Amino acid sequence: MPATLTINGYRIVVSSAESLFAAAERAGVRVPTSCVTQGKCKECVVEVTRGRDLLSPPTESERHLDVRGGPFRLSCQARIVVEDGEVECQTMRRGRMRIERAALHLPATHQTTTLDPAVARDGERIVDRMNGETIDRSVGPVHGLAIDLGTTTIVVRLLDLETGGLVAETSFENPQRFGGSDVMSRIHYDTLHPGRLLMRTVAGYLSHAIAELPVDPRSIYDVVLVGNSTMRDLFFRQSVYSIGQNPYRSITEIEMAEGKRTTTSLTTTGRRSLLPIHPHARVYSLPIISGHVGADAAACLLAVNLAHEDRLVAVMDIGTNTELIVGNRHRILAASCPAGPAFEGGAIACGMPGLEGAIEDVTLDDDGTFRLGVIGGGKPEGICGSGLVDLLSELLRTARMNAMGRFSDEVDRITLDTEHGMYFLERDVNELAQAKGANVAGLQVVFSQYGIQFDDLSVFYLAGGFGRHLKRGASKRIGLIPNLADDKIVQVGNAALEGATIALVSLAKRQEIESLAKRIEHCRLETHPRFFDFFVDGCQFRPIESGVRVSE
Ligand code: FES
């Protein structure tokens, strides 16, 4: 039987010693490349999920992937070297992944913001209004990009800066995944591998995405990019080493404290960014707030209009690193909680990200039968974060699990779907308990430092893709979010992208967030004397009521 390759679900018979790249092309799967398979651009990376040992040994060009035993290969270098057998792999995902692009129920949007971009036309000149310099002479259109550079996903939005209108939007998985799935792994990777490989890989993918936009890329004169401190600094070629070391500060924060710069925002040119936009374009990133609370959190603040907010509000973006901001225009506190990947499906036996095939809804009937809702409606392949929250909530509601996370009847495994091998372990509950404990400890520390209780909040914004798909009742029952009235909890989706878009269309808003970011107090959770108590308490699955609720 001849060897076969299944790539992104397309199956093809491969000829002897054919590269994965060549076979993928024959199968009609486009693999990103800028070096025509020379092993130089590093963009053609694939994740091999089956048959790794049927491939040729790694080449010198793949040293950066640490391929021994790892799932990633450069498809232009890896060849199937056996006569029969099956190899399965996938490129970085586009489209199939559920990526949160929309923002909902926000007090401010780019449509409601007065059009006043930092780069604008003056007759035939395209002018950078920040420094008065002429970027170009053209009578053609003036475009700008808002980019949300997430650890897992990247979303790009193209706007006409003369009308403020949205022209196009695209999204894809962050190709830096070969450097690890969380920011700490990427920092470690970047520190160990010279050559800015992470930056160059993401710039390569962004370049392909920009080339596919329905406009001349050289008509893009302004870019506003947001991301957590690590993603942002990697893109701007900053050393990220210090973000990974206690006290976890970006090099821009350190330089600002030393009086070497006046802002933690960063600016470069189109040419230096390696993007195929106008070479003199302005590429700007919002300031970071502090530590791991990055430019994406700053962008959220623009979208919730915090600089003009009199009511007490909280913004929580739950993820591997949960960001938390509480306050109003008078005083703002921010913190980041190292929750880990459990609520994104990592470290869970049947966990998976929010992709097609993930269980996202769980209902437990009286007779003990599980009813499962699957993204895309097909057969279940795993459980994503919102499914896990539902599952915990249902187990609690039916007393099949207690508040300590112990299953009843002395079992250590609960089967959800026998046919498709879906199950949930007591060990998984422990992982989720610890992730929840970190988030709750963050909430308790920030609120106690602010001197307020949860009931004092007027609005609790849940930002980000995970927050968007959570069920409020289930989240409150397991104590992932405070036990507030439903009408106070607002799920806003990708507020960071909306904030970046607001900064793209408004120079005034850019200036507003520059000054607001300097006024935010950073709450260092690890140094708070009651952090550990809060954490232990937060590991329990019960509603978080107002007031500090820690056993003395
Ligand atoms: S195509 Fe450029 S490294 Fe493989």
Side-chain angles (χ1 to χ4, degrees):
M1 204 177 75
T4 60
L5 169 70
T6 304
I7 180 161
N8 294 7
Y10 295 94
R11 193 156 182 267
I12 188 170
V13 173
V14 285
S15 12
S16 170
E18 187 176 23
S19 72
L20 297 184
F21 188 100
E25 293 250 293
R26 281 200 300 112
V29 174
R30 238 192 82 214
V31 183
T33 170
S34 297
C35 74
V36 205
T37 68
Q38 296 299 301
K40 290 183 182 155
C41 71
K42 320 294 186 201
E43 291 172 13
C44 64
V45 64
V46 291
E47 182 177 5
V48 182
T49 50
R50 183 173 181 188
R52 260 176 255 162
D53 51 351
L54 309 183
L55 300 175
S56 55
T59 67
E60 193 57 21
S61 302
E62 297 176 277
R63 272 216 324 217
H64 68 294
L65 294 174
D66 298 328
V67 280
R68 214 169 317 149
F72 297 102
R73 296 291 307 263
L74 288 185
S75 60
C76 71
Q77 303 294 303
R79 296 167 195 283
I80 300 180
V81 290
V82 293
E83 292 295 313
D84 64 49
E86 285 183 43
V87 175
E88 280 180 26
C89 68
Q90 60 187 31
T91 57
M92 295 299 121
R93 300 177 187 90
R94 289 188 75 159
R96 272 187 81 228
M97 191 163 187
R98 187 170 72 176
I99 295 176
E100 199 56 44
R101 301 198 280 201
L104 309 150
H105 317 299
L106 283 165
T109 67
H110 68 279
Q111 289 105 331
T112 59
T113 302
T114 307
L115 186 62
D116 161 42
V119 172
R121 169 182 303 290
D122 179 4
E124 290 193 2
R125 292 192 310 140
I126 312 296
V127 178
D128 180 342
R129 294 171 60 216
M130 305 281 276
N131 55 21
E133 286 177 10
T134 300
I135 296 177
D136 194 14
R137 289 184 182 278
S138 163
V139 292
V142 183
H143 290 112
L145 294 179
I147 301 176
D148 175 24
L149 187 51
T151 315
T152 312
T153 54
I154 298 173
V155 191
V156 178
R157 206 177 246 186
L158 174 72
L159 269 86
D160 181 328
L161 292 183
E162 293 186 282
T163 63
L166 177 66
V167 180
E169 212 171 69
T170 183
S171 54
F172 51 95
E173 187 175 18
N174 188 330
Q176 296 173 337
R177 212 151 60 86
F178 64 81
S181 59
D182 56 44
V183 292
M184 284 305 189
S185 324
R186 305 261 172 97
I187 292 169
H188 186 64
Y189 184 93
D190 191 64
T191 308
L192 290 184
H193 297 79
R196 308 255 181 258
L197 280 166
L198 294 178
M199 185 275 172
R200 282 168 38 210
T201 306
V202 93
Y205 272 63
L206 274 169
S207 298
H208 292 302
I210 290 169
E212 287 173 10
L213 293 172
V215 300
D216 176 1
R218 287 177 65 95
S219 69
I220 297 171
Y221 294 106
D222 195 9
V223 176
V224 173
L225 181 141
V226 300
N228 62 52
S229 307
T230 306
M231 292 300 106
R232 185 202 78 149
D233 284 10
L234 281 172
F235 185 81
F236 281 84
R237 305 174 192 225
Q238 304 288 312
S239 163
V240 290
Y241 178 76
S242 59
I243 309 177
Q245 309 293 317
N246 196 352
Y248 312 109
R249 293 200 298 174
S250 152
I251 194 82
T252 56
E253 258 190 288
I254 295 169
E255 288 177 357
M256 198 162 122
E258 291 171 347
K260 293 179 182 160
R261 53 166 58 240
T262 56
T263 171
T264 56
S265 63
L266 288 166
T267 307
T268 189
T269 61
R271 180 176 287 128
R272 272 190 64 75
S273 73
L274 305 182
L275 302 181
I277 57 178
H278 194 281
H280 301 309
R282 164 177 282 272
V283 179
Y284 166 83
S285 147
L286 264 57
I288 60 165
I289 291 175
S290 187
H292 287 287
V293 189
D296 48 356
C300 281
L301 298 193
L302 277 183
V304 302
N305 207 20
L306 203 63
H308 305 276
E309 180 63 83
D310 279 312
R311 301 170 301 170
L312 262 178
V313 306
V315 185
M316 193 173 185
D317 186 344
I318 301 173
T320 312
N321 208 65
T322 294
E323 283 143 8
L324 181 61
I325 297 165
V326 177
N328 55 27
R329 69 189 179 93
H330 305 292
R331 183 186 178 208
I332 306 167
L333 251 63
S336 72
C337 323
F343 278 110
E344 294 183 349
I348 304 297
C350 288
M352 70 178 280
L355 306 172
E356 211 168 277
I359 297 169
E360 61 169 348
D361 287 307
V362 179
T363 311
L364 182 50
D365 289 339
D366 291 343
D367 63 359
T369 311
F370 283 100
R371 281 186 287 126
L372 308 175
V374 177
I375 299 176
K379 65 180 173 59
E381 295 169 25
I383 317 168
C384 68
S386 51
L388 289 165
V389 172
D390 256 19
L391 175 56
L392 289 167
S393 167
E394 285 295 89
L395 293 176
L396 264 185
R397 183 183 66 79
T398 56
R400 294 186 71 185
M401 181 185 85
N402 66 20
M404 307 303 287
R406 297 285 156 264
F407 293 160
S408 56
D409 304 330
E410 310 250 311
V411 297
D412 62 2
R413 163 192 293 242
I414 288 176
T415 301
L416 307 183
D417 181 334
T418 312
E419 185 188 352
H420 300 104
M422 295 292 115
Y423 59 90
F424 188 51
L425 303 175
E426 211 172 61
R427 177 159 57 79
D428 296 333
V429 181
N430 288 340
E431 296 285 344
L432 292 160
Q434 293 194 29
K436 193 179 85 65
N439 287 337
V440 174
L443 280 165
Q444 299 280 27
V445 168
V446 172
F447 276 72
S448 71
Q449 190 153 322
Y450 206 110
I452 53 172
Q453 301 200 339
F454 299 126
D455 280 349
D456 296 328
L457 282 181
S458 294
V459 188
F460 187 88
Y461 291 108
L462 270 173
F466 178 55
R468 165 87 183 86
H469 295 282
L470 283 177
K471 289 201 193 86
R472 283 178 279 202
S475 308
K476 288 193 283 189
R477 178 179 286 126
I478 68 165
L480 181 62
I481 61 173
N483 198 19
L484 299 168
D486 275 356
D487 61 359
K488 286 190 174 182
I489 300 167
V490 183
Q491 292 165 281
V492 289
N494 195 339
L497 178 66
E498 192 55 45
T501 317
I502 291 170
L504 179 66
V505 299
S506 168
L507 176 56
K509 287 289 176 186
R510 240 179 252 206
Q511 290 161 342
E512 178 180 297
I513 193 63
E514 286 277 358
S515 69
L516 189 72
K518 290 177 185 149
R519 292 201 287 113
I520 299 174
E521 299 166 45
H522 186 211
C523 222
R524 294 199 180 281
L525 303 184
E526 64 280 5
T527 60
H528 193 279
R530 300 184 72 189
F531 176 80
F532 188 68
D533 293 337
F534 288 141
F535 172 76
V536 171
D537 197 59
C539 287
Q540 295 185 33
F541 295 97
R542 55 191 170 109
I544 315 170
E545 302 299 344
S546 209
V548 174
R549 192 208 59 206
V550 173
S551 323
E552 300 291 346

